[in-house]
Amino acid sequence: MSQIQVSAVSKAFHSTTAPPRQVLDGVSFSIAEGEVVGLLGPSGCGKSTLLNIIAGLDAEHSGSVSIQGRPMQEQLGAGFRVAYVFQESRLLPWYTVQQNLEFVLRAGDFPRAEWGERIANVLSAVGLSEFRDFYPRQLSGGMQQRASIARAFCIDPDILLMDEPFSALDELTARKLRESLLALWARFRTTIVFVSHNAFESAFLADRILVMGQGRITREIDMGGTPRPRSYDDTALFEASKNVIQILERHAHPSHANPSHS
Ligand code: ADP
C-alpha cells in the first residue's frame, strides 16, 4: 500500500471581494514508504497549499488524502509521526539547540531515557554536536537550519514534509545541508515530501519529481536511476535538471515552446 495517496484534490480560495481562486485542480499521485518526492514548480502554482493539505492542516478541499489508507488526523491519533522543516528554522529562541530538541521529544512522549542518544545521533549527523548549548541567535542561518533538520529527525518521523527548506541559504551552505539531509534519510529511510522551485535541488534530492504548473501535476520525472549517495558532479543530475527547466519554461511560455499553438 502507498504511504501517501492523494486523490483528485482540488482547492479554491474564496474571498468576499474577488472571484474564487482555483489553486489546485484534480491533483492525484501516490508516494511509497521511504520515497523522496519533490513538488517542483514556479511561485504561486500551489505547492505549499498541496503540502498543507497532505499535512492535514487544510481540510477545506475536495478529493482525499490518505496516509496508509486512513486520514492523517486518525493516523496522528494512533501515534503516526510527522515532522516539518520550513524555509526558516522556527527554533524557539529562548531555548538552546539541545532544549529545542528536548521540547519535541517531550511533546511526542518519548521516554526520557532515550533523549540523550536520539539527540546525540542527530546533532552529530548535522555537525552540531559542539553547538548543543548555543541559542539560535548565536548560530548562523545555515546552522539554525541544521538544527531544524536535527529536530525533525530526532523523533524518527514516519513522514517528513519540507517547504523550501534551503531556499533562504547561500548555495554553498545549501549544498552541505542537502548532503546532511540525505545522510539522515539513508539512516532513517523516512518518507520525504519537499517543495522546491529549484530544479537542480529537486534532481539532487528526489527519487521522483512531480512538476507542477497552475494547480496541476504536469509531469513526473523518475530520478530513481541516479545512484545514491548522490554527487553534485553527477552529469545525470545536470541532464535531469536541464530537462525539468525546459518543462518549466514550456509552462511559463507555452507559445514560445510551440509556435503552432500561439
Ligand atoms: P506556491 O507554494 O507554489 O508558491 P501557494 O500554494 O503558496 O503557491 O499559493 C498558490 C496560490 O494560492 C497563490 O496564488 C496564492 O496567492 C494563493 N493563496 C495561498 N494561500 C491563500 C489564502 N490563504 N487565501 C487566498 N489565496 C491564497
Side-chain angles (χ1 to χ4, degrees), residues 13-14 21 23 41-50 163-164 195:
F13 284 108
H14 296 273
R21 187 174 162 70
V23 174
S43 190
C45 73
K47 305 181 295 295
S48 299
T49 304
L50 182 54
D163 196 348
E164 302 271 9
V195 159

Side-chain angles (χ1 to χ4, degrees), residues 83-97 100-101 103-104 126 128 134-153 160-169 173 177:
Y84 300 88
V85 175
F86 300 95
Q87 189 173 334
E88 65 290 353
S89 70
R90 302 198 186 184
L91 297 169
L92 297 171
W94 54 86
Y95 284 156
T96 63
V97 169
N100 267 280
L101 271 56
F103 181 79
V104 293
V126 299
L128 280 187
F134 282 52
Y135 287 90
R137 66 174 180 278
Q138 299 174 297
L139 303 175
S140 67
M143 289 160 90
Q144 290 180 25
Q145 200 60 336
R146 282 181 184 280
S148 157
I149 290 170
R151 177 180 57 183
F153 277 97
L160 171 59
L161 302 174
M162 305 198 296
D163 196 348
E164 302 271 9
F166 308 119
S167 60
L169 305 174
T173 305
L177 261 76

